[in-house]
Amino acid sequence: MPERWWHSLRARFETAPIPDPLWRRAVSHCPLARPLPPDQQVQLRHLAALFLSRKQFHALAGVVLDDYWRLMISLQACLPVLQQGAALLRGWREVLVYPGELKVRRHTHDIDGNTQGTLKPLACDIWERGPLVLSLVDVQLDLEQPWDGCNVVVHEMAHKFDMLDGPPDGVPPLTNISRRRWITQFELAYERLIEAANRGDSKIDAHATENPSEYFAVVSELHYSQPALLREVEPEIAELLEDFYGKSPAFVA
Ligand SMILES: [Zn+2]
């Protein structure tokens, strides 16, 4: 039956509205969303509803994921999409939520051949069209300490944007920003970070030194969670990220 087929297809893509009490509760507990002006909150609610209807959440290893936590993850995932819209959400479907911290101990060898242990977020190993991988503990910690420079949801979403136009290279699709300016400024900033890290006086998390893609993800976290530090250390990058993401919620209030 063509008509029935059309109805089932429409139902599949229909966006279920977020109930008012649930939305108000989530926003009031999300310091990054709370300062947004009313029009942006309306837009965020629309995007979060879209995210909830298009992405499949999987709670793993005993995680209990209720409507509140699904929404809390969705609305943070949509914050970096506010400026450019739902097109940035394309290309992948699943959200995997683990209970504990997603860090694995890796072993690297220094120039003398000694083995050193470093910690790296496991989620960053998962690339391309794969799932968004999060730890509920990290998400909860970011809500408790919103201005400490870390936000795991923003970090992983930045990787997703980065991969929309090919392998991760720290350059997401750019519409209103000069690609040449982005690449030049990010290369210079990345080199400055490597030098600062070698001197031992870097103000940006060492995870950003791994490669340009991690650099982009880490400074994206700073844009939302500690933008004053980013402006102080890398004003050009702060400006480019403001063009890409819009004004940081920390500066909207
Ligand atoms: Zn990463």
Side-chain angles (χ1 to χ4, degrees), residues 124-244:
C124 296
D125 282 341
I126 297 162
W127 293 122
E128 303 291 341
R129 297 173 71 86
L132 186 77
V133 182
L134 299 168
S135 127
L136 195 58
V137 167
D138 289 341
V139 174
Q140 286 165 338
L141 200 64
D142 290 340
L143 293 167
E144 284 165 25
Q145 299 170 9
W147 314 118
D148 67 352
C150 300
N151 189 289
V152 65
V153 180
V154 167
H155 182 108
E156 298 308 326
M157 287 302 288
H159 282 316
K160 290 294 181 202
F161 306 149
D162 191 355
M163 289 182 287
L164 282 173
D165 59 356
D169 57 1
V171 189
L174 301 169
T175 47
N176 59 338
I177 304 168
S178 152
R179 195 174 157 81
R180 178 175 290 187
R181 182 180 160 220
W182 182 284
I183 291 171
T184 305
Q185 294 303 332
F186 268 79
E187 276 179 0
L188 290 170
Y190 184 66
E191 282 167 20
R192 282 192 290 271
L193 175 69
I194 302 283
E195 284 166 18
N198 287 339
R199 288 194 308 268
D201 64 358
S202 167
K203 289 185 176 174
I204 296 177
D205 191 292
H207 184 45
T209 62
E210 281 204 16
N211 54 53
S213 174
E214 291 304 337
Y215 183 85
F216 169 55
V218 170
V219 290
S220 294
E221 292 182 76
L222 288 176
H223 171 77
Y224 284 92
S225 182
Q226 223 168 39
L229 175 81
L230 187 60
R231 273 189 185 176
E232 179 203 321
V233 181
E234 288 294 350
E236 280 286 346
I237 298 300
E239 202 178 300
L240 282 165
L241 291 183
E242 194 160 313
D243 289 346
F244 185 76

Side-chain angles (χ1 to χ4, degrees), residues 2-237:
E3 203 177 329
R4 189 175 296 171
W5 170 82
W6 169 245
H7 281 302
S8 69
L9 188 74
R10 219 176 62 167
R12 244 178 83 192
F13 291 107
E14 220 152 66
T15 306
I18 300 166
D20 277 336
L22 181 64
W23 175 252
R24 281 198 297 271
R25 187 174 151 226
V27 170
S28 71
H29 287 94
C30 181
L32 296 183
R34 223 164 33 214
L36 296 174
D39 60 324
Q40 284 193 20
Q41 289 201 9
V42 169
Q43 203 187 342
L44 184 64
R45 184 172 176 172
H46 170 71
L47 287 165
L50 202 67
F51 190 97
L52 282 164
S53 65
R54 304 278 164 89
K55 307 297 183 194
Q56 282 175 355
F57 281 78
H58 301 279
L60 300 166
V63 166
V64 177
L65 209 56
D66 58 10
D67 286 348
Y68 173 78
W69 282 106
R70 272 192 293 271
L71 175 56
M72 202 51 116
I73 289 168
S74 304
L75 80 83
Q76 288 187 84
C78 292
L79 278 171
V81 177
L82 264 178
Q83 166 122 325
Q84 302 198 42
L88 278 188
L89 296 174
R90 69 187 187 276
W92 56 280
R93 195 166 170 78
E94 290 174 303
V95 182
L96 307 187
V97 185
Y98 286 87
E101 265 192 296
L102 280 180
K103 299 234 168 107
V104 284
R105 189 162 285 281
R106 325 199 120 229
H107 294 289
T108 54
H109 299 278
D110 66 17
I111 45 173
D112 299 321
N114 299 318
T115 302
Q116 296 179 323
T118 56
L119 287 174
K120 174 186 177 173
L122 177 65
C124 296
D125 282 341
I126 297 162
W127 293 122
E128 303 291 341
R129 297 173 71 86
L132 186 77
V133 182
L134 299 168
S135 127
L136 195 58
V137 167
D138 289 341
V139 174
Q140 286 165 338
L141 200 64
D142 290 340
L143 293 167
E144 284 165 25
Q145 299 170 9
W147 314 118
D148 67 352
C150 300
N151 189 289
V152 65
V153 180
V154 167
H155 182 108
E156 298 308 326
M157 287 302 288
H159 282 316
K160 290 294 181 202
F161 306 149
D162 191 355
M163 289 182 287
L164 282 173
D165 59 356
D169 57 1
V171 189
L174 301 169
T175 47
N176 59 338
I177 304 168
S178 152
R179 195 174 157 81
R180 178 175 290 187
R181 182 180 160 220
W182 182 284
I183 291 171
T184 305
Q185 294 303 332
F186 268 79
E187 276 179 0
L188 290 170
Y190 184 66
E191 282 167 20
R192 282 192 290 271
L193 175 69
I194 302 283
E195 284 166 18
N198 287 339
R199 288 194 308 268
D201 64 358
S202 167
K203 289 185 176 174
I204 296 177
D205 191 292
H207 184 45
T209 62
E210 281 204 16
N211 54 53
S213 174
E214 291 304 337
Y215 183 85
F216 169 55
V218 170
V219 290
S220 294
E221 292 182 76
L222 288 176
H223 171 77
Y224 284 92
S225 182
Q226 223 168 39
L229 175 81
L230 187 60
R231 273 189 185 176
E232 179 203 321
V233 181
E234 288 294 350
E236 280 286 346
I237 298 300

